[in-house]
């Protein structure tokens, strides 16, 4: 005879309990359990056999012939078994038992070590095992709560039903039931009128157990399968006996359970729907907020209205820095989250058999992405900010330079118009006129020397206008006043020159006439006086001859001697007044003793021992650089034109006589900005004031090499100061010589040097100013050098980090791409790996923040270039944002794949096969397949897509599913959705409708009270708020239409 292995857990389909390998051991260790099982299993069998009008008394004896065993199976299954043998022989009994055992195995139950002979022989252990197998298969196997196995499902059902009751904590099927409160709670939950639960006490288990057993037997038709004494008196009640008894409660409340199952289905559907609606609301709100933020931000980024000051522009830069570091990063995450939410929502809708979500108009992911593209204006905005700061920095420097040059020029022109308009020449003598002319010529030279400064002022003003200087109006006004005044000075200078020359010619004519008059009048006058004297002289003559001789002699003597003596002697011994010397050019002398003059003004000298000059103009000079001398004793100059210089290149002297200044190229500068000039003429200086200006001017450099060049140039300048000091001494020595002559010869000096307004006091004062400015320049250069060193440190500090972070971001991007394509382990393994990756990436954020801080220091220091790295902060920011977005999207893709796999029953092997096929045809590793690649992939997986019209139509249909937006590519998620589409096992509108009908008691409508009684409060109110009033012929007041509501849940009608 066959022997059956009793294994009720064979196969996945019937895996409802763990295998009971300890059956024999349990019975041997605790005989009390066998007693409990005998009673419980007997009562359970009788609860079914009595439906056929029979029962058993002794479980191992009454099933020996197999007849009642077969009857039991027919009653509990509702099926007819094979016709039993009615004979009394052992072979007949074994045949009947085998028929029963064969039926059990036909239901997918594997009986382990149970043979018909053991049952026929009355083996109690084997008989109890067989009955337990039947109980498991027909009473417990079909119990399933939330897709759990049978045992867990029954336990979960008990836990849920008893959850609201205090002192009840069901964790198993043995000691959790010893106090009896669990049984009482089950009864009270379904039939609260049968037990007054509030009067029960945990410390009175006997009363609790007997109350439950009695009420169940009397009102619920559940036989008393357990004894209270056996449960209380046993340390660990028999689990199988408790499970058998508890399953009777489950089946007794099957009607209520049916309603609960329907409610559970509805709750599950509503939960999915509520979750989806919440995701929709969250998407709409997030999309609206993002679009509003973008709408407000883009005009701000597109605003190119410049500010007037550096402070205002730097504040704008600070605002932009806050935008990039504080305001935009959360929005980047929100945008990424928006896309993730949208993809997750669509996946969940698809898996739950709902229609795809269509956002409000203008709020599609593509709409948000297009609007986000407008933020690209930020790239141009930052560049514009930096250019504006450079422009304002240049403007501030030019404006200050304009003010300095204008102030110096205005100080120089002060009083010049009054001087030129003076009418002093109208009452001047010829010598005074000549002195005024020499003085005016000196002024004309000075005026010409200032022409360059005026041109520089005009050029700076023009550049300020071209750079849109905010105060251009006042600059233009001042420049115009300067130019107008300059033109007026030029006109007045010309007018005065003409007047002086005209007056000089008139006075020279008069003087010549005077001289001619004097030369001719003196002899003639002398002659006339002699004549008169002769004419008046008395004479004595005796004869006529005497008279004739006397007359002739007197005339001859008077004419020759007297005139000669008068002419020579009188000229030689005449007084100062008789000698009119008009110009210095007429006197050529070598020593002071040889000079016989009438007035000191007639001689202009600069040394005692030797003076060799031709004209006054030969001594006229304008600047220190214009004097080339070897000794004070010897001044040899010709004209002012020979001394004037126009560029620095022309000044070459080595001692006091020769100040060597190299050409512009030798001053060691790198860029025009270092000196802030546009032409060589701007370097030209003619007075000490120019030296002061060049020393005071602001230092403006951008690299440490430039400041080193300026320092070198400044050191070269300082090297010329000793020679300049000697030249100053020489000039002051000239003035001392003049004072010495005046004191030695008691010359009465009438006024100051008529040829210049510069005096020794001015020279000394300005020299002192230069000496003060030199150390200030030294300090400024030292500070600038320190600043440039700090700037270089900031550059290197930023570059050192950027050169690490940039490649790190790129590496992580590539690694994430490989993880999303390659198959290593399950989806859960990939998800865990990616989340760890995301955690590591997020933990890297402090380094990005540190780099942002270094970048802020660089911007505050107005550093605009960095030769130590090719990475900018913008590169790092964009890369970081892309990295965060990529890892988030990849994680979301894996999560959606897991949702799809679990919802549609795709095994890990199938998922791997799909991924391998997809990757094989994704040859460019883009994560997408083109149309032809996708077709080849489908064919490789067994799809029959012929190369004919029908095949093309079928492929077009498939493409419309996987690529609804007609982008032209298929993502892996769309590929998985398509591959699993036909295996969907989801709720439908009809199933939900049927569940509502159960809750409604088979009515076509449902009442609000019924919803509140059967559903959790939030879901009940959700339904009540959305269900339309029922309008059928059987409608009653307050009736709600659950049918239209059910179809609306699946998009088949509008709510």
């Amino acid at each position: 005879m066959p022997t059956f292995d009793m294994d009720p857990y064979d196969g996945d389909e019937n895996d409802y309990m763990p295998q009971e390998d300890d059956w024999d051991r349990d019975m041997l260790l605790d005989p009390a359990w066998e007693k409990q099982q005998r009673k419980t299993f007997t009562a359970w069998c009788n609860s079914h056999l009595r439906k056929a009008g029979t029962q058993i008394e002794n479980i191992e004896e009454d099933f020996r012939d197999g007849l009642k065993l077969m009857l039991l199976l027919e009653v509990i299954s509702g099926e007819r078994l094979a016709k039993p043998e009615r004979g009394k022989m052992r072979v007949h009994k074994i045949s009947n038992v085998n028929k029963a055992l064969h039926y059990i195995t036909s239901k997918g139950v594997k009986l382990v070590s149970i043979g018909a002979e053991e049952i026929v022989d009355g083996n109690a252990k084997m008989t109890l095992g067989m009955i337990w197998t039947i109980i498991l298969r027909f009473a417990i196997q079909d119990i399933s709560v939330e897709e759990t196995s049978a045992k867990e499902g029954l336990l979960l059902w008990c836990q849920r039903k008893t959850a609201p009751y205090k002192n009840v904590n069901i964790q198993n099927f043995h000691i959790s039931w010893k106090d009896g409160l669990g049984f009482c709670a089950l009864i009270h939950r379904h039939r609260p009128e049968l037990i007054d639960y509030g009067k029960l006490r945990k410390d009175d288990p006997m009363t609790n157990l007997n109350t439950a057993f009695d009420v169940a037997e009397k009102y619920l038709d559940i036989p008393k399968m357990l004894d209270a004494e056996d449960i209380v008196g046993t340390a660990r009640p028999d689990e199988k006996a408790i499970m058998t008894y508890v399953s009777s409660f489950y089946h007794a409340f099957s009607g209520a359970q049916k309603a609960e199952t329907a409610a559970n289905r509805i709750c599950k559907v509503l939960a999915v729907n509520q979750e989806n609606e919440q995701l929709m609301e969250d998407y709409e709100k997030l999309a609206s907020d993002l679009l509003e933020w973008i709408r407000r931000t883009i005009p701000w980024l597109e605003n190119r209205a410049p500010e007037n000051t550096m402070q205002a522009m730097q504040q704008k830069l600070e605002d932009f820095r806050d935008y990039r570091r504080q305001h935009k990063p959360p929005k980047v995450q929100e945008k990424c989250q928006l896309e993730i939410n949208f993809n997750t929502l669509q996946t969940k809708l698809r898996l739950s058999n709902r229609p795809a979500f269509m956002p409000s108009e203008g709020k599609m992911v593509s709409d948000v992405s297009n609007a986000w593209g407008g933020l690209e204006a930020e790239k141009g905005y930052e560049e514009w900010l930096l250019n504006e700061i450079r422009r304002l920095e240049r403007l501030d420097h030019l404006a200050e330079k304009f003010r300095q040059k204008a102030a110096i020029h205005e100080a120089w022109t002060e009083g010049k118009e009054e001087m030129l308009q003076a009418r002093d020449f109208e009452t001047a003598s010829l010598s005074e006129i000549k002195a005024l002319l020499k003085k005016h010529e000196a002024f004309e030279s000075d005026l010409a020397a200032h022409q360059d400064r005026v041109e520089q002022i005009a050029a700076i003003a023009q550049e300020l206008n071209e750079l849109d200087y905010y105060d251009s109006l006042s600059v233009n006004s001042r420049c115009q006043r300067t130019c107008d005044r300059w033109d007026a000075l030029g006109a007045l200078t010309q007018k005065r020159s003409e007047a002086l020359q005209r007056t000089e010619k008139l006075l020279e004519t008069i003087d010549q006439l005077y001289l001619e008059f004097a030369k001719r009048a003196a002899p003639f006058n002398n002659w006339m006086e002699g004549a008169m004297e002769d004419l008046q002289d008395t004479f004595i003559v005796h004869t006529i001859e005497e008279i004739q001789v006397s007359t002739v002699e007197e005339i001859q003597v008077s004419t020759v001697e007297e005139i000669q003596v008068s002419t020579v002697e009188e000229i030689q011994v005449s007084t100062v007044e008789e000698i009119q010397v008009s110009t210095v050019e007429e006197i050529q002398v070598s020593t002071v003793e040889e000079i016989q003059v009438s007035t000191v003004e007639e001689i202009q000298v600069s040394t005692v021992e030797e003076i060799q000059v031709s004209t006054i103009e030969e001594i006229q000079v304008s600047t220190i650089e214009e004097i080339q001398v070897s000794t004070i004793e010897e001044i040899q100059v010709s004209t002012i034109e020979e001394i004037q210089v126009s560029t620095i290149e022309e000044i070459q002297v080595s001692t006091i006589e020769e100040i060597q200044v190299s050409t512009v190229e030798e001053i060691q500068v790198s860029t025009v900005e270092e000196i802030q000039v546009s032409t060589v003429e701007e370097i030209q200086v003619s007075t000490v004031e120019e030296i002061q200006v060049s020393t005071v001017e602001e230092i403006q450099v951008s690299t440490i090499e430039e400041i080193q060049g300026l320092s070198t140039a400044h050191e070269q300048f300082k090297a010329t100061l000793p020679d300049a000091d000697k030249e100053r001494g020489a000039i002051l020595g000239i003035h001392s010589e003049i004072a010495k002559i005046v004191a030695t010869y008691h010359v009465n000096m009438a006024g100051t040097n008529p040829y210049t307004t510069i005096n020794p006091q001015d020279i000394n004062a300005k020299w002192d100013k230069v000496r003060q400015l030199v150390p200030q320049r030294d300090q400024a250069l030292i500070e600038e050098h320190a600043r440039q060193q700090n700037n270089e440190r900031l550059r290197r500090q930023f570059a050192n980090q950027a050169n690490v972070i940039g490649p790190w971001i790129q590496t992580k991007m590539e690694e994430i791409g490989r993880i999303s394509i390659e198959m290593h382990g399950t989806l859960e393994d990939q998800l865990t790996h990616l989340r760890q990756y995301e955690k590591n990436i997020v933990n890297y954020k402090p380094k990005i923040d540190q780099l942002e801080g270094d970048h802020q220091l660089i911007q505050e220091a107005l550093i605009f270039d960095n030769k130590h790295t090719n990475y900018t902060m913008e590169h790092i920011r964009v890369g970081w944002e892309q990295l965060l977005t990529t890892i988030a999207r990849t994680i979301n893709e894996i999560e959606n794949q897991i949702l799809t796999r679990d919802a549609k029953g795709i095994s890990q092997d199938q998922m791997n096969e799909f991924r391998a096929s997809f990757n094989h045809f994704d040859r460019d590793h883009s994560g997408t397949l083109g149309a032809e690649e996708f077709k080849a992939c489908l064919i490789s997986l067994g799809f029959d897509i012929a190369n004919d019209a029908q095949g093309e139509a079928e492929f077009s249909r498939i493409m419309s599913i996987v690529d609804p937006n007609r982008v032209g590519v298929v993502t892996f998620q769309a590929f998985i959705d398509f591959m699993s589409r036909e295996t969907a096992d989801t709720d439908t509108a009809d199933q939900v409708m049927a569940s509502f009908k159960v809750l409604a008691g088979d009515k076509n409508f449902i009442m609000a009270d019924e919803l509140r009684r059967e559903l959790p409060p939030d879901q009940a109110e959700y339904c009540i708020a959305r269900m339309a009033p029922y309008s059928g012929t059987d409608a009653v007041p307050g009736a709600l239409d659950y049918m239209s509501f059910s179809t609306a849940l699946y998009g088949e009608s509008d709510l």
Side-chain angles (χ1 to χ4, degrees):
M1 299 300 292
T3 298
F4 297 93
D5 288 338
M6 186 181 67
D7 187 356
Y9 326 106
D10 183 45
D12 293 337
E13 181 178 321
N14 298 311
D15 186 15
Y16 49 84
M17 280 194 64
Q19 183 170 346
E20 308 240 347
D21 294 333
D22 57 349
W23 180 274
D24 295 337
R25 185 186 61 201
D26 287 346
M27 295 306 298
L28 292 173
L29 291 176
D30 194 350
W33 285 8
E34 182 179 348
K35 178 183 177 183
Q36 292 177 17
Q37 288 179 12
R38 282 175 180 273
K39 183 170 184 177
T40 301
F41 291 176
T42 299
W44 183 84
C45 291
N46 286 335
S47 68
H48 293 285
L49 288 173
R50 67 188 179 187
K51 298 175 183 178
T54 185
Q55 63 179 16
I56 61 173
E57 298 295 337
N58 189 307
I59 195 168
E60 66 267 28
E61 291 294 331
D62 294 346
F63 286 135
R64 290 179 64 185
D65 59 5
L67 295 176
K68 288 188 177 181
L69 179 59
M70 294 178 70
L71 181 61
L72 174 65
L73 291 173
E74 288 182 345
V75 171
I76 62 178
S77 68
E79 299 178 8
R80 294 292 296 179
L81 272 68
K83 185 177 180 179
E85 300 286 344
R86 294 298 180 179
K88 301 295 183 179
M89 296 177 63
R90 178 179 174 84
V91 65
H92 297 143
K93 295 179 180 180
I94 290 176
S95 176
N96 290 336
V97 172
N98 274 329
K99 290 177 181 179
L101 294 179
H102 278 298
Y103 178 78
I104 293 173
T105 57
S106 71
K107 296 301 180 182
V109 179
K110 186 177 181 181
L111 299 174
V112 181
S113 302
I114 295 180
E117 290 83 356
E118 284 83 358
I119 305 301
V120 172
D121 291 340
N123 187 318
K125 180 177 65 174
M126 293 301 168
T127 302
L128 290 174
M130 179 190 66
I131 297 303
W132 173 241
T133 300
I134 294 172
I135 292 172
L136 283 176
R137 172 61 184 83
F138 295 101
I140 298 177
Q141 178 181 341
D142 293 335
I143 299 174
S144 179
V145 179
E146 293 189 357
E147 302 178 0
T148 59
S149 64
K151 181 177 180 180
E152 285 92 5
L154 183 59
L155 182 63
L156 182 58
W157 178 80
C158 295
Q159 290 172 339
R160 286 190 172 182
K161 294 300 181 181
T162 60
Y165 296 88
K166 62 180 181 178
N167 296 326
V168 178
N169 183 20
I170 304 301
Q171 298 297 326
N172 49 57
F173 286 109
H174 38 81
I175 61 175
S176 294
W177 303 88
K178 285 190 65 173
D179 59 11
L181 291 178
F183 296 110
C184 294
L186 286 177
I187 296 171
H188 185 268
R189 178 66 183 271
H190 295 91
R191 298 289 297 277
E193 74 280 3
L194 298 180
I195 293 180
D196 187 356
Y197 188 85
K199 293 183 178 181
L200 301 177
R201 301 196 318 274
K202 187 175 181 63
D203 58 358
D204 189 6
M206 290 294 294
T207 300
N208 299 338
L209 288 168
N210 286 322
T211 299
F213 296 162
D214 293 342
V215 169
E217 186 175 29
K218 182 177 180 180
Y219 296 103
L220 304 177
D221 198 26
I222 299 175
K224 190 175 182 180
M225 301 180 186
L226 301 170
D227 287 329
E229 295 79 3
D230 294 339
I231 296 176
V232 174
T234 305
R236 186 175 183 270
D238 181 59
E239 185 177 52
K240 301 173 182 62
I242 297 293
M243 282 182 65
T244 302
Y245 187 54
V246 171
S247 68
S248 298
F249 281 90
Y250 178 88
H251 291 292
F253 297 129
S254 60
Q257 183 63 31
K258 185 178 180 182
E260 183 174 356
T261 300
N264 285 339
R265 180 183 292 277
I266 292 172
C267 288
K268 181 180 177 181
V269 170
L270 292 179
V272 170
N273 219 63
Q274 286 177 298
E275 181 183 3
N276 291 341
E277 286 188 4
Q278 186 61 50
L279 286 174
M280 294 177 191
E281 292 177 7
D282 292 344
Y283 177 89
E284 290 281 340
K285 183 177 186 306
L286 189 55
S288 298
D289 293 345
L290 263 177
L291 289 170
E292 175 61 22
W293 180 79
I294 293 171
R295 184 191 65 78
R296 294 195 313 268
T297 304
I298 289 178
W300 177 69
L301 292 174
E302 291 178 344
N303 180 18
R304 297 295 191 271
E307 299 293 341
N308 294 332
T309 63
M310 279 281 290
Q311 291 77 8
M313 287 305 299
Q314 285 174 336
Q315 182 59 50
K316 278 196 170 186
L317 183 61
E318 182 66 27
D319 294 341
F320 180 75
R321 188 182 299 121
D322 290 342
Y323 158 79
R324 288 299 284 112
R325 295 181 63 179
Q326 300 178 18
H327 302 305
K328 188 183 179 184
K331 298 303 178 183
V332 172
Q333 295 300 315
E334 288 178 12
K335 177 177 177 290
C336 178
Q337 191 62 46
L338 184 78
E339 297 173 2
I340 290 174
N341 289 354
F342 183 80
N343 294 333
T344 301
L345 174 60
Q346 299 294 44
T347 299
K348 288 186 174 182
L349 289 172
R350 189 165 50 248
L351 295 177
S352 59
N353 202 25
R354 267 67 162 185
F357 169 58
M358 182 61 64
S360 303
E361 185 178 357
K363 295 181 183 177
M364 291 287 292
V365 171
S366 58
D367 295 326
V368 176
S369 296
N370 291 337
W372 188 268
L375 296 177
E376 293 299 314
E378 72 183 33
K379 296 179 180 178
Y381 185 71
E382 183 173 25
E383 182 179 356
W384 173 77
L385 284 175
L386 296 176
N387 288 336
E388 276 298 299
I389 289 176
R390 291 190 186 101
R391 184 181 69 86
L392 289 175
E393 187 180 29
R394 171 70 172 162
L395 283 175
D396 287 350
H397 177 77
L398 287 176
E400 180 60 27
K401 189 173 182 180
F402 175 84
R403 286 189 288 270
Q404 288 181 0
K405 288 185 176 295
I408 292 173
H409 180 73
E410 289 165 358
W412 178 83
T413 59
E414 190 67 31
K416 295 296 190 293
E417 291 185 13
E418 292 78 4
M419 179 193 73
L420 293 172
Q421 292 173 341
R423 310 296 293 181
D424 50 352
F425 57 84
E426 293 179 347
T427 58
S429 63
L430 181 60
S431 60
E432 291 172 338
I433 284 295
K434 289 188 177 293
L436 287 175
L437 270 171
K438 300 305 179 184
K439 183 176 181 180
H440 188 70
E441 289 172 0
F443 174 76
E444 286 180 325
S445 298
D446 198 10
L447 185 69
H450 281 77
Q451 175 70 32
D452 288 337
R453 181 180 289 118
V454 175
E455 291 175 355
Q456 291 170 19
I457 291 172
I460 293 173
Q462 181 179 353
E463 188 172 0
L464 287 171
N465 278 282
E466 292 172 352
L467 293 175
D468 295 329
Y469 183 52
Y470 76 96
D471 198 19
S472 292
L473 188 62
S474 64
V475 169
N476 292 338
S477 177
R478 190 171 186 179
C479 179
Q480 189 61 46
R481 290 197 304 271
T482 300
C483 292
D484 291 345
R485 197 167 187 181
W486 180 256
D487 293 339
L489 285 176
L492 290 174
T493 300
Q494 181 63 27
K495 184 177 179 181
R496 182 173 176 82
S497 178
E498 293 172 354
L500 288 173
Q501 291 174 3
R502 184 172 57 251
T503 303
E504 181 191 29
K505 289 179 180 179
L506 292 174
L507 291 179
E508 283 179 345
T509 300
I510 294 172
D511 187 68
Q512 289 294 331
L513 293 174
Y514 275 144
L515 181 59
E516 181 66 23
F517 175 85
K519 287 181 178 180
R520 299 178 65 177
F524 184 70
N525 183 62
N526 196 33
W527 173 81
M528 286 190 300
E529 288 178 352
M532 288 185 345
E533 181 181 353
D534 291 338
L535 290 174
Q536 294 175 1
D537 191 19
T538 59
F539 57 87
I540 300 174
V541 293
H542 301 282
T543 65
I544 189 160
E545 288 84 3
E546 293 179 2
I547 294 174
Q548 291 176 341
V549 173
S550 175
T551 303
V552 172
E553 290 178 353
E554 288 179 4
I555 292 173
Q556 288 177 350
V557 171
S558 173
T559 302
V560 177
E561 294 178 356
E562 291 184 3
I563 291 176
Q564 287 179 351
V565 172
S566 173
T567 301
V568 176
E569 291 179 354
E570 289 182 5
I571 291 176
Q572 289 179 349
V573 298
S574 63
T575 62
V576 174
E577 290 77 8
E578 292 176 350
I579 301 176
Q580 297 293 332
V581 181
S582 61
T583 62
V584 176
E585 289 82 350
E586 299 171 6
I587 303 175
Q588 297 290 331
V589 295
S590 60
T591 63
V592 174
E593 290 75 7
E594 296 175 13
I595 301 173
Q596 292 183 353
V597 295
S598 59
T599 61
V600 176
E601 288 78 4
E602 294 174 3
I603 302 175
Q604 297 291 332
V605 297
S606 60
T607 65
V608 176
E609 292 78 3
E610 183 176 352
I611 301 175
Q612 293 181 355
V613 297
S614 57
T615 65
I616 291 296
E617 290 81 352
E618 296 176 6
I619 305 178
Q620 187 77 26
V621 295
S622 62
T623 64
I624 294 174
E625 292 78 1
E626 293 167 1
I627 303 176
Q628 296 184 354
V629 297
S630 57
T631 63
I632 293 178
E633 291 76 9
E634 184 176 349
I635 301 175
Q636 292 183 344
V637 294
S638 57
T639 64
I640 190 166
E641 288 75 9
E642 296 177 8
I643 301 170
Q644 284 185 329
V645 294
S646 59
T647 62
I648 290 178
E649 291 81 352
E650 296 175 23
I651 304 172
Q652 294 186 349
V653 288
S654 57
T655 62
I656 197 72
E657 302 79 6
E658 191 174 336
I659 303 174
Q660 278 190 342
V661 179
S662 301
T663 62
V664 175
E665 290 74 8
E666 297 173 358
I667 300 180
Q668 300 295 325
V669 294
S670 302
T671 63
V672 175
E673 289 79 0
E674 296 175 33
I675 308 181
Q676 292 301 315
V677 297
S678 59
T679 63
V680 176
E681 285 74 9
E682 292 187 20
I683 307 175
Q684 180 180 357
V685 294
S686 59
T687 63
V688 179
E689 288 89 342
E690 294 284 352
I691 298 176
Q692 293 174 353
V693 172
S694 65
T695 308
V696 174
E697 279 183 357
E698 178 185 356
I699 300 171
Q700 189 176 35
V701 295
S702 58
T703 65
I704 196 166
E705 290 80 5
E706 294 175 15
I707 190 63
Q708 289 172 347
L710 285 180
S711 298
T712 301
H714 184 61
E715 291 301 320
Q716 292 177 351
F717 168 75
K718 288 196 296 182
T720 66
L721 290 179
D723 293 338
D725 192 26
K726 292 179 182 178
E727 178 64 12
R728 180 182 65 89
I731 294 172
L732 295 179
I734 294 173
H735 187 270
S736 299
E737 287 296 332
I738 294 172
K740 183 177 179 181
I741 293 172
V742 170
T744 301
Y745 297 100
H746 306 289
V747 178
N748 183 16
M749 294 291 293
T752 59
N753 189 335
Y755 303 109
T756 181
T757 58
I758 300 174
N759 57 56
Q761 291 75 20
D762 292 337
I763 292 175
N764 285 329
K766 291 177 181 178
W767 177 256
D768 292 339
K769 181 64 175 177
V770 170
R771 296 295 298 271
Q772 291 174 7
L773 292 175
V774 167
Q776 293 178 13
R777 183 75 165 185
D778 287 335
Q779 184 61 33
L781 288 170
I782 292 171
E783 291 174 356
E784 181 62 24
H785 189 270
R787 189 176 77 86
Q788 290 302 325
Q789 285 183 321
N790 184 63
N791 288 353
E792 184 67 10
R793 181 185 62 79
L794 291 177
R795 288 188 182 95
R796 292 182 181 276
Q797 182 173 303
F798 176 87
N800 291 339
Q801 294 189 75
N803 289 338
V804 173
I805 293 175
W808 181 86
I809 290 176
Q810 184 61 33
T811 300
K812 292 301 176 185
M813 289 285 287
E814 295 171 356
E815 291 175 354
I816 292 170
R818 286 197 298 270
I819 292 173
S820 63
I821 293 176
E822 298 172 356
M823 296 175 294
H824 295 295
T826 64
L827 290 175
E828 285 76 8
D829 293 337
Q830 295 178 35
L831 186 62
T832 300
H833 193 187
L834 283 171
R835 283 178 174 161
Q836 183 61 43
Y837 241 77
E838 183 181 38
K839 182 179 179 181
N840 294 338
I841 289 171
V842 171
N843 290 339
Y844 204 76
K845 182 65 163 57
K847 294 184 181 296
I848 305 295
D849 294 337
Q850 183 179 354
L851 191 65
E852 284 281 8
D854 292 341
H855 178 65
Q856 179 175 346
L857 294 176
I858 281 179
Q859 286 192 331
E860 289 173 351
L862 299 179
I863 300 172
F864 301 111
D865 59 346
N866 193 340
K867 65 182 180 182
H868 304 296
T869 181
N870 293 325
Y871 293 99
T872 66
M873 195 64 232
E874 183 62 26
H875 292 150
I876 300 297
R877 287 174 185 146
V878 171
W880 176 253
E881 291 171 359
Q882 289 178 345
L883 181 61
L884 293 178
T885 301
T886 301
I887 187 67
R889 286 175 178 167
T890 305
I891 289 174
N892 179 246
E893 289 174 0
I894 300 298
E895 290 173 338
N896 287 339
Q897 291 174 26
I898 291 174
L899 282 175
T900 303
R901 181 200 65 189
D902 294 343
K904 301 195 175 179
I906 303 175
S907 67
Q908 186 61 47
D909 290 339
Q910 287 177 306
M911 186 65 75
N912 291 342
E913 180 185 1
F914 294 156
R915 171 57 81 181
S917 298
F918 189 91
N919 288 348
H920 176 74
F921 291 96
D922 180 20
R923 293 185 173 86
D924 60 355
H925 304 292
S926 64
T928 60
L929 297 180
E932 292 302 318
E933 292 173 331
F934 178 57
K935 179 189 286 188
C937 183
L938 291 179
I939 294 173
S940 72
L941 291 170
F943 281 78
D944 185 12
I945 303 177
N947 289 323
D948 53 22
Q950 184 178 355
E952 289 300 322
E954 174 62 14
F955 183 68
S956 296
R957 182 190 68 81
I958 295 174
M959 282 298 294
S960 67
I961 295 173
V962 296
D963 182 24
N965 296 325
R966 300 183 183 278
V967 177
V969 296
V970 180
T971 65
F972 182 68
Q973 183 61 45
F975 173 69
I976 290 296
D977 290 341
F978 171 75
M979 296 302 296
S980 59
R981 184 176 295 273
E982 301 303 323
T983 62
D985 181 18
T986 58
D987 295 308
T988 64
D990 291 338
Q991 291 173 327
V992 175
M993 204 178 302
S995 298
F996 272 117
K997 193 165 189 175
V998 171
L999 298 186
D1002 288 337
K1003 299 190 299 293
N1004 293 326
F1005 58 85
I1006 194 167
M1007 305 300 293
D1009 291 341
E1010 292 172 327
L1011 290 171
R1012 291 190 176 99
R1013 182 178 69 244
E1014 299 295 344
L1015 299 179
D1018 60 329
Q1019 294 185 332
E1021 298 304 323
Y1022 176 86
C1023 293
I1024 293 169
R1026 287 165 173 75
M1027 280 186 181
Y1030 178 69
S1031 57
T1033 57
D1034 54 344
V1036 297
L1040 299 174
D1041 186 358
Y1042 61 79
M1043 296 183 183
S1044 63
F1045 175 77
S1046 298
T1047 55
L1049 289 176
Y1050 291 86
E1052 298 173 17
S1053 68
D1054 295 330
L1055 284 176

